[in-house]
């Protein structure tokens, strides 16, 4: 039906006749001469209809926004002074000689010139996706997946599909369950990841596997979460952590180079402990120069229990953040930051303004100075590097509360004071703890198939709380792009980990019997990593939510306004599945 895309027409087409199809982006009537901007996937081109062709002009006069049309015309240079150098088509226009309205459009439920609510955008997603910014993001996403596939295939990886209907396994979130009609009362689970299947593929000798795959997790949502999302899933045999990190780092560097013309350089590595100590996060944004500085040892003996209590508690922490130029903060602004850290459980936010760093206590301002000696304040100024005009903000509480609250405050201060430096700051975070304690029970930090670093089963069992896992996360600008680990390939080690997690032999056999069986038949060492494709594309396109880089996402309540899903099931279907529904008590 067409000879080319609208967005491809440039000065090289001058003098040629073209046939284009698309949507009317805008229509302007300038006293007998009608201009339209015609839009398709590739861009916008200006079309002119003049009175010399009255039949064509008559049809053009009926056009409105989002009419779907086909037109024929001759490409010519735009008049002098009307060139738009910001558009590929900005040097030309098309003199329309033929026009067919393929389909009219009703009055639009979305306003192209104003902000629409997300509910409206998702309800009429097929219209929202016509907007150039949305179209460009989905095209960019397609190019990213193509580049990833080419890279991995050149590295010897095989694209292998794994089942969507599978068995429920503990992955850290609730499963989506699918009832079985042929096995009444029993359920499949949608996979939270292909974790067990990709490990089985390694045990099958496939050597290198990848898959761009849908995953499903029934969890509370936010900007970077969806009930169904996409992973770039990667697994290898006979490679250690360094080998996996090397391949995947090259892949991401290659991707940024080709797609954005950005050289990310070599990725630095940082231990989990260092990241939490310095930045209060296991995915630190290194564009932000602010750091947490521990000062508990300086405050252990002060007559101020807010400080001395946590300072003398093995599970406590006292940390300070130095904010350059922060002495200009008003009391009201400090109170707002105090409310902010309260979200994370902090009971308050102590502060010291450094008006004159060389004047001793006289150069400082704070309600807590009466509890501090000059030696202590001088030591804190020296340790934090505070200068005149700065402010020190303090967190004092349990280690967890201080780390989370001050880590979040660091990010907020970095944005508020416009401190971010550089466009892209990647890193690897390594040496995660194997387990964390919650409600008196140890839980796997990553998943129960992660191998400990350098331990035998006996050594792990003797001191599990101190064990480090052979795991690694790739972080970019404070966002976890992907995470992975060396997997357990020994039956004794896997059984030991299950026992530490409170999974007894019977439960392990019931849930993971097929994996434990496979470990007994010459299972090779293997390791892998999974990237969040949605997050990756969100970062690369500058979008603020993964919903803006997905074609048909769900809302924050895991619903689809477009299709009105989820919806009630037909009673006959429920009967076939042997399922009864219970009305929720009001």
């Amino acid at each position: 039906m067409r000879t080319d895309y609208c967005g491809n027409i440039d000065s090289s087409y001058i003098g040629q006749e073209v046939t284009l199809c698309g949507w009317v982006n805008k229509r302007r009537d300038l006293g007998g001469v009608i201009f339209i901007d015609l839009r398709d996937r590739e861009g916008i081109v200006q079309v002119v209809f003049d009175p010399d062709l009255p039949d064509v002009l008559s049809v053009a006069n009926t056009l409105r926004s989002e009419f779907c049309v086909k037109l024929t015309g001759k490409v010519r240079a735009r008049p002098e002074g009307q060139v738009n150098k910001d558009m590929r088509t900005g040097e030309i226009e098309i003199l329309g000689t033929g026009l067919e309205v393929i389909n009219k459009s009703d009055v639009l439920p979305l306003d192209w010139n104003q902000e629409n609510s997300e509910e409206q955008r998702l309800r009429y997603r097929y219209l929202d996706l016509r907007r150039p910014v949305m179209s460009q993001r989905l095209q960019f996403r397609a190019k990213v997946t193509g580049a990833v596939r080419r890279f991995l295939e050149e590295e010897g990886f095989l694209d292998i599909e794994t089942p969507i209907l599978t068995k429920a396994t503990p992955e850290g979130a609730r499963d989506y369950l699918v009832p079985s009609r042929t096995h009444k009362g029993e359920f499949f689970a949608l996979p939270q990841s292909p974790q067990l299947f990709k490990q089985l593929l390694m045990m099958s000798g496939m050597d290198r596997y990848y898959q761009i795959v849908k995953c499903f997790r029934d969890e509370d949502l936010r900007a970077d979460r969806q009930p169904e999302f996409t992973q770039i899933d990667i697994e290898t045999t006979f490679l250690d952590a360094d080998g996996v990190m090397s391949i995947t780092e090259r892949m991401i560097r290659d991707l940024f180079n080709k797609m954005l013309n950005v050289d990310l350089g070599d990725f630095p590595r940082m231990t989990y402990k260092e990241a939490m100590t310095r930045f209060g996060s296991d995915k630190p944004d290194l564009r932000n120069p602010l750091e947490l500085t521990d000062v508990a040892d300086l405050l252990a003996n002060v007559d101020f229990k807010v400080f001395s209590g946590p300072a003398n508690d093995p599970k406590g922490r006292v940390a300070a953040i130095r904010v350059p130029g922060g002495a200009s903060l008003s009391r009201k602004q400090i109170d707002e930051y105090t409310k902010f850290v309260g979200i994370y459980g902090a009971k308050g936010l102590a502060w010291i303004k450094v008006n004159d760093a060389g004047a001793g206590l006289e150069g400082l301002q704070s309600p807590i100075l009466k509890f501090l000696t000059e030696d202590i304040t001088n030591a804190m100024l020296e340790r934090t590097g505070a200068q005149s005009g700065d402010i020190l903000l303090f967190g004092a509480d349990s280690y967890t509360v201080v780390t989370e609250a001050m880590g979040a405050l660091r990010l907020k201060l970095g944005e508020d004071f416009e401190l971010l430096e550089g466009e892209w700051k990647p890193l690897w975070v390594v040496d995660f703890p194997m387990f964390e304690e919650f409600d008196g029970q140890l839980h796997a930090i990553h998943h129960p198939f992660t191998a400990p670093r350098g331990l035998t089963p006996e050594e792990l069992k003797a001191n599990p709380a101190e064990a480090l896992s052979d795991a690694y996360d790739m972080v970019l600008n404070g966002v976890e792009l992907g995470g992975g680990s060396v997997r357990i390939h020994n039956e004794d080690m896997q059984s030991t980990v299950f026992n530490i997690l409170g999974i007894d032999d019977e439960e392990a056999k019931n849930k993971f019997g097929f994996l434990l069986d496979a470990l007994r038949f010459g299972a090779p060492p293997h390791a892998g990593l999974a990237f969040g494709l949605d997050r990756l594309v969100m970062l690369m396109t500058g979008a603020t939510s993964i919903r803006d880089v997905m074609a048909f996402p769900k809302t924050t309540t895991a619903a689809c306004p477009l299709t009105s899903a989820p919806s009630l099931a037909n009673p006959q279907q429920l009967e076939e599945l042997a399922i009864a529904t219970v009305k929720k008590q009001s």
Side-chain angles (χ1 to χ4, degrees):
M1 292 180 68
R2 60 187 170 197
T3 59
D4 213 320
Y5 286 103
C6 298
N8 291 344
I9 310 300
D10 57 21
S11 58
S12 67
Y13 284 74
I14 290 176
Q16 296 183 31
E17 185 175 83
V18 295
T19 300
L20 304 175
C21 297
W23 290 267
V24 177
N25 194 66
K26 186 184 294 184
R27 174 186 173 277
R28 305 181 299 281
D29 189 340
L30 303 182
V33 178
I34 294 176
F35 289 82
I36 70 165
D37 291 339
L38 188 67
R39 185 192 71 244
D40 63 15
R41 189 187 77 180
E42 298 300 320
I44 295 174
V45 67
Q46 179 172 284
V47 185
V48 184
F49 301 96
D50 66 29
D52 291 341
L53 296 171
D55 292 343
V56 178
L57 184 67
S58 176
V59 179
N61 194 46
T62 68
L63 298 180
R64 296 293 183 270
S65 293
E66 297 308 304
F67 275 32
C68 183
V69 303
K70 173 184 176 182
L71 65 84
T72 301
K74 194 168 187 178
V75 182
R76 67 185 187 186
R78 287 196 188 190
E80 189 174 349
Q82 296 184 21
V83 171
N84 185 346
K85 294 184 179 180
D86 294 330
M87 296 175 61
R88 179 178 178 180
T89 65
E91 295 182 348
I92 59 91
E93 63 184 14
I94 297 172
L95 177 62
T97 57
L99 177 61
E100 174 189 348
V101 176
I102 297 174
N103 226 330
K104 295 181 180 181
S105 172
D106 287 345
V107 176
L108 296 175
L110 297 181
D111 190 333
W112 255 225
N113 300 313
Q114 297 182 21
E115 289 293 322
N116 298 288
S117 70
E118 188 169 63
E119 184 80 13
Q120 287 175 297
R121 290 177 54 208
L122 295 182
R123 168 66 181 84
Y124 299 98
R125 190 61 162 183
Y126 44 85
L127 295 179
D128 187 50
L129 292 178
R130 291 184 191 173
R131 293 190 301 131
V133 65
M134 294 301 296
S135 176
Q136 289 160 14
R137 285 171 180 165
L138 289 190
Q139 290 180 64
F140 187 91
R141 179 182 177 125
K143 291 174 182 177
V144 166
T145 59
V148 166
R149 290 185 187 280
R150 287 189 292 273
F151 178 92
L152 291 173
E153 285 165 6
E154 288 173 3
E155 293 286 330
F157 286 82
L158 303 177
D159 181 0
I160 305 175
E161 293 181 343
T162 53
I164 293 298
L165 296 178
T166 182
K167 187 179 181 70
T169 58
E171 297 276 355
R174 298 180 189 89
D175 289 307
Y176 278 100
L177 298 179
V178 180
S180 170
R181 180 183 59 80
T182 53
H183 300 277
K184 296 190 187 304
E186 298 183 351
F187 296 82
F188 294 104
L190 301 183
Q192 295 186 35
S193 81
Q195 182 63 47
L196 296 181
F197 287 106
K198 64 186 178 186
Q199 289 189 241
L200 292 173
L201 285 170
M202 296 304 96
M203 298 173 196
S204 304
M206 295 298 103
D207 194 65
R208 292 190 173 193
Y209 141 97
Y210 86 95
Q211 189 181 184
I212 298 178
V213 60
K214 280 286 187 184
C215 302
F216 307 87
R217 293 181 185 176
D218 184 5
E219 58 187 350
D220 294 333
L221 306 182
R222 55 178 184 245
D224 60 348
R225 284 183 178 174
Q226 280 280 288
E228 51 179 322
F229 58 96
T230 306
Q231 280 187 355
I232 304 170
D233 207 40
I234 298 169
E235 197 79 8
T236 67
T237 51
F238 305 112
L239 273 185
D240 58 13
D242 288 336
V244 174
M245 293 164 74
S246 175
I247 289 176
T248 52
E249 180 177 323
R250 282 193 295 109
M251 184 184 81
I252 295 299
R253 289 175 59 183
D254 181 74
L255 190 63
F256 271 73
N257 197 313
K258 289 178 178 176
M259 299 296 297
L260 299 178
N261 196 28
V262 168
D263 183 3
L264 292 177
D266 293 332
F267 293 14
R269 296 189 185 187
M270 182 181 298
T271 66
Y272 170 88
K273 183 177 181 180
E274 180 183 357
M276 299 300 287
T277 299
R278 292 174 59 191
F279 305 111
S281 172
D282 60 358
K283 48 181 185 296
D285 187 347
L286 297 188
R287 297 174 302 166
N288 184 339
L290 301 182
E291 295 193 18
L292 280 61
T293 303
D294 284 316
V295 293
D297 59 311
L298 302 177
L299 300 168
N301 297 316
V302 299
D303 189 21
F304 186 43
K305 290 186 178 180
V306 170
F307 280 167
S308 61
N312 289 287
D313 185 346
K315 295 185 178 181
R317 185 177 187 187
V318 185
I321 297 178
R322 169 211 166 203
V323 186
S328 62
L329 287 173
S330 67
R331 185 57 189 266
K332 181 180 179 182
Q333 289 173 308
I334 295 174
D335 288 344
E336 289 299 315
Y337 286 123
T338 302
K339 290 180 183 177
F340 176 78
V341 296
I343 297 171
Y344 300 88
K347 300 180 183 68
L349 187 66
W351 54 273
I352 297 176
K353 287 187 177 182
V354 186
N355 298 320
D356 184 351
L361 287 175
E362 296 298 320
L364 306 179
Q365 178 187 349
S366 171
I368 65 171
L369 288 176
K370 59 187 176 183
F371 301 109
L372 308 178
T373 66
E374 188 163 0
D375 287 343
I376 289 175
T377 56
N378 287 339
M380 285 197 295
L381 295 183
E382 181 179 357
R383 184 174 295 183
T384 58
Q387 305 292 320
S388 298
D390 296 347
I391 191 172
L392 295 179
L393 300 174
F394 296 87
D397 208 306
S398 69
Y399 179 88
T400 300
V401 167
V402 170
T403 302
E404 290 184 359
M406 298 300 279
L409 179 62
R410 169 184 173 268
L411 295 178
K412 182 169 177 57
L413 290 166
E415 292 180 359
D416 291 351
F417 282 78
E418 299 181 348
L419 298 175
L420 301 190
E421 303 169 347
E423 188 174 5
W424 303 105
K425 290 291 180 73
L427 80 154
W428 287 103
V429 178
V430 298
D431 291 350
F432 287 84
M434 186 80 175
F435 306 104
E436 62 181 347
E437 186 177 342
F438 183 71
D439 289 339
Q441 173 67 45
L442 290 178
H443 299 266
I445 289 279
H446 282 77
H447 54 65
F449 317 108
T450 299
R453 170 165 291 187
L455 297 176
T456 65
E458 292 74 24
E459 290 169 334
L460 178 63
K461 188 175 182 180
N463 193 9
E466 298 299 318
L468 296 180
S469 64
D470 207 352
Y472 33 84
D473 281 0
M474 183 187 289
V475 177
L476 181 63
N477 292 2
V479 175
E480 180 192 327
L481 287 187
S485 66
V486 173
R487 321 302 188 188
I488 296 170
H489 67 279
N490 175 277
E491 184 185 11
D492 289 342
M493 179 65 79
Q494 187 64 76
S495 295
T496 299
V497 170
F498 284 159
N499 288 333
I500 290 171
L501 294 174
I503 302 173
D504 60 30
D505 292 344
E506 183 177 351
E507 183 181 0
K509 184 176 181 181
N510 180 48
K511 290 183 175 179
F512 312 107
F514 57 96
L515 176 68
L516 295 173
D517 285 345
L519 291 173
R520 295 165 43 220
F521 298 104
H526 54 287
L529 187 147
F531 289 99
L533 175 63
D534 312 296
R535 290 184 186 180
L536 176 62
V537 177
M538 178 185 73
L539 273 182
M540 296 180 77
T541 60
T544 57
S545 165
I546 62 172
R547 293 190 290 277
D548 283 337
V549 297
M550 303 171 78
F552 300 104
K554 306 293 188 293
T555 65
T556 53
T557 59
C560 176
L562 176 65
T563 62
S564 298
S567 59
L568 295 175
N570 184 300
Q572 183 178 351
Q573 289 178 303
L574 293 177
E575 185 178 350
E576 288 178 347
L577 295 167
I579 291 177
T581 59
V582 179
K583 286 188 177 182
K584 186 176 180 180
Q585 296 293 327
S586 58

